[in-house]
């Protein structure tokens, strides 16, 4: 804190950065801000560890975004993928190198929070945020944001990061706009050792019966995580897909330990990422890969960027400087995640039209399998792949033309 504000800070403690939500995005933001030497408070409404509906796949970009020294609590390491198209045309592809790892979210999230705490962040659990205010009687000056908790307590900060999930209160304050909402249903199914052994090191991806839908089986020791996802509004059909999927796999006789559902929300191209001294990241910002709906790598990467730019916003002395730093944060998101999302939207549109073609290409065309491996292992991204491979560019452009859309890779916009 600078000396000129010490008298105001003495009246009520003012944190440099307050992060709302202790999932991967929030923990990453808190870690990044704390490592920079700032006073950081991390607020979480649940008690940790807590369950989250999530497949738990850790691909290369997620691994690369973790804090130094982070040891991933892998339940399994994936070397093979079985693909099917609504239960048919099954084919398994294998890799000598690990494709990706599988984790249980409670352990993973808890470990991320512990790294943030070791870096100096303070954690408060069981705390629900009601709203944030940047003007009015609760705000002592223009450099401060008031975080109002349920029960009336107010926490003051120089910058706030909203990482409070897809139904984010902070996202509502910022004005996040969403244009793709999907329903994910999942069951954690304990299985006998003989069944678990059959799945060890192998996942299943099934292209589903509804446009854009797919299912998965992720093995985690003596438990299989089985789930499906499809566009919201088809709840009964999605539920039936999951039931049929489980039955088809021969798993209907095993009682799930947990059955859950959640909505994934993907931002509109012009959706804001900030308002004043408040930034949003991860699910709260609607940042995820639109085709696969993979969100962990987007949470980790956007959280780290949000934490780094929250530090700069905390140091900003006026609205002009605050606005400049918020724009820089938006540009940083656009340069990486925004481009991946833009390509992902085009991939989803193509996949919705011709899932059978995608299945045939992935299982029968060696370069496509090689691209899948490189993306999951982290040696390339969806955006880089389309940019650097003429064949991928031509294929996507052909799908764009077929649905009467202009190529979108260069037209994605990110509003701060």
């Amino acid at each position: 804190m600078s000396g000129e504000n010490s008298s105001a800070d003495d009246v009520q403690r003012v944190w440099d950065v307050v992060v709302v939500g202790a999932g991967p995005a929030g923990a990453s933001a808190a870690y990044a801000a704390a490592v920079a030497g700032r006073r950081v408070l991390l607020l979480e409404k649940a008690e940790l560890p807590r369950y989250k509906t999530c497949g738990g796949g850790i691909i290369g970009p997620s691994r690369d975004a973790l804090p130094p020294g982070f040891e991933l609590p892998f339940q399994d390491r994936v070397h093979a993928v079985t693909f099917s198209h609504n239960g048919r045309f099954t084919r398994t592809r294998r890799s000598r190198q690990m494709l990706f790892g599988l984790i249980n979210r409670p352990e993973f999230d808890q470990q991320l929070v512990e790294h943030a705490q070791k870096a100096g962040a303070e954690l408060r659990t069981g705390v629900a945020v009601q709203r944030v205010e940047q003007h009015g009687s609760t705000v002592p000056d223009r450099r401060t944001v008031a975080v109002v908790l349920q029960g009336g307590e107010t926490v003051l900060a120089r910058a706030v990061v909203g990482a409070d999930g897809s139904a984010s209160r902070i996202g509502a304050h910022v004005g996040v706009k969403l244009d793709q909402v999907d329903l994910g249903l999942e069951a954690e199914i304990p299985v006998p050792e003989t069944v678990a052994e059959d799945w060890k090191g192998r996942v299943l991806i099934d292209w589903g019966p509804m446009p854009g839908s797919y299912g998965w089986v992720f093995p985690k020791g003596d438990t299989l995580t089985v789930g499906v996802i499809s566009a919201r509004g088809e709840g009964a059909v999605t539920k039936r897909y999951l039931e049929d999927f489980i039955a088809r796999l021969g798993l209907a006789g095993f009682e799930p330990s947990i059955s859950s559902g959640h909505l994934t929300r993907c931002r509109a191209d012009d959706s804001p990422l900030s308002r004043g001294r408040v930034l949003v990241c991860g699910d709260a910002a609607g940042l995820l890969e639109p085709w696969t709906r993979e969100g962990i790598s987007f949470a980790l990467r956007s959280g780290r960027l949000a934490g780094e730019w929250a530090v700069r916003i905390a140091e900003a002395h006026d609205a002009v400087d605050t606005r400049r730093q918020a724009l820089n944060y938006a540009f940083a998101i656009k340069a990486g995640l925004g481009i991946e999302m833009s390509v992902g939207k085009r991939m989803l549109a193509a996949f919705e039209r011709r899932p059978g073609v995608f299945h045939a290409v992935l299982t029968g065309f060696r370069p496509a399998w090689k691209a899948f491996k490189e993306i999951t292992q982290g040696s390339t991204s969806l955006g880089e792949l389309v940019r650097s491979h003429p064949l991928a560019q031509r294929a996507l452009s052909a799908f764009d033309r077929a649905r009467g859309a202009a190529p979108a890779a260069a037209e994605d916009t990110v509003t701060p």
Side-chain angles (χ1 to χ4, degrees):
M1 290 293 178
S2 59
E4 67 190 87
N5 296 298
S6 59
S7 58
D9 293 356
D10 288 342
V11 176
Q12 181 179 351
R13 184 177 193 183
V14 180
W15 296 87
D16 292 320
V17 178
V18 168
V19 180
V20 182
S28 296
Y31 173 85
V35 156
R38 299 306 182 269
R39 295 196 302 183
V40 179
L41 177 63
L42 178 58
L43 302 174
E44 168 57 45
K45 68 179 178 182
E47 297 297 338
L48 300 176
R50 47 92 175 95
Y51 179 78
K52 281 284 183 183
T53 305
C54 176
I58 299 296
I59 60 174
S62 297
R63 192 186 58 240
D64 296 343
L66 292 167
F70 190 98
E71 289 190 23
L72 279 157
F74 283 146
Q75 300 298 308
D76 204 344
R77 290 167 167 78
V78 177
H79 287 81
V81 182
T82 297
F83 294 99
S84 61
H85 185 200
N86 201 19
R88 298 174 300 158
F89 313 116
T90 301
R91 183 163 184 191
T92 300
R93 305 299 305 254
R94 300 183 184 278
S95 168
R96 287 193 186 90
Q97 294 83 34
M98 183 180 85
L99 294 166
F100 56 96
L102 300 173
I103 50 94
N104 287 325
R105 279 290 299 277
E107 293 168 66
F108 178 70
D109 290 13
Q110 175 75 34
Q111 212 168 303
L112 280 169
V113 168
E114 287 169 4
H115 273 260
Q117 288 176 287
K118 284 175 193 166
E122 190 170 311
L123 171 70
R124 282 184 63 183
T125 58
V127 179
V129 171
Q130 200 171 66
R131 65 186 184 277
V132 292
E133 296 179 357
Q134 301 195 62
H135 309 283
S137 58
T138 55
V139 183
D141 58 57
R142 291 181 180 179
R143 287 192 60 217
T144 309
V145 182
V147 181
V148 182
L149 310 181
Q150 274 181 356
E153 182 188 348
T154 298
V155 176
L156 300 181
R158 296 288 177 226
V160 171
V161 175
D164 49 336
S166 61
S168 167
R169 285 181 182 268
I170 313 301
H173 172 80
V174 166
V176 171
K177 294 187 284 184
L178 306 161
D179 73 357
Q180 179 188 324
V181 184
D182 295 289
L183 170 65
L185 299 176
E186 199 166 70
E188 301 285 349
I189 305 178
V191 293
E193 192 177 333
T194 49
V195 177
E197 192 60 35
D198 182 50
W199 285 97
K200 189 174 173 59
R202 178 175 66 94
V203 302
L204 169 65
I205 296 174
D206 177 71
W207 313 118
M210 302 89 78
S213 67
Y214 73 97
W216 61 89
V217 179
F218 285 180
K220 298 170 184 174
D222 59 1
T223 298
L224 300 178
T225 298
V226 184
V228 300
I229 195 162
S230 69
R232 183 178 66 169
E234 300 286 341
V237 182
T238 306
K239 188 168 183 287
R240 190 157 60 249
Y241 174 31
L242 178 61
E243 289 167 354
D244 292 347
F245 187 43
I246 288 172
R248 202 162 61 216
L249 294 165
L251 301 173
F254 305 115
E255 187 68 30
S257 58
I258 300 173
S259 294
S260 63
H262 72 127
L263 294 176
T264 64
R265 296 175 168 92
C266 192
R267 68 189 297 277
D269 287 346
D270 62 346
S271 179
L273 289 160
S274 69
R275 178 179 170 187
R277 291 178 172 267
V278 179
L279 304 177
V280 284
C281 60
D283 285 343
L287 293 167
L288 76 160
E289 201 283 289
W291 176 33
T292 62
R293 291 80 153 187
E294 190 279 319
I296 295 177
S297 79
F298 281 73
L300 292 168
R301 291 179 287 172
S302 66
R304 185 175 64 185
L305 290 170
E308 290 169 355
W309 258 276
V311 167
R312 296 179 176 109
I313 285 174
E315 293 168 348
H317 284 275
D318 56 39
V320 173
D321 195 17
T322 300
R323 174 75 174 164
R324 184 186 304 119
Q325 300 305 339
L327 278 168
N328 286 340
Y329 170 63
F331 289 144
I333 293 290
K334 179 180 180 180
L337 303 182
I339 289 172
E340 287 181 39
M341 290 180 72
S342 182
V343 174
K345 283 181 183 178
R346 295 169 69 192
M347 294 287 284
L348 176 63
F351 172 64
E352 285 174 339
R353 286 174 61 89
R354 304 290 293 276
V357 172
F358 269 74
H359 179 70
V361 168
L362 256 178
T363 57
F365 186 50
R366 192 179 295 273
W369 169 244
K370 183 170 181 285
F372 179 91
K373 286 198 299 182
E374 289 175 351
I375 289 169
T376 57
Q377 290 168 339
S379 60
T380 189
S381 70
L382 208 50
E384 287 168 4
L385 187 76
V386 171
R387 213 166 33 234
S388 59
H389 286 65
L391 191 60
Q393 282 178 15
R394 287 200 296 274
L396 257 190
S397 294
F399 273 113
D400 287 334
R401 286 193 298 275
R403 68 187 181 100
E411 65 188 25
D412 182 50
T413 57
V414 176
T415 306

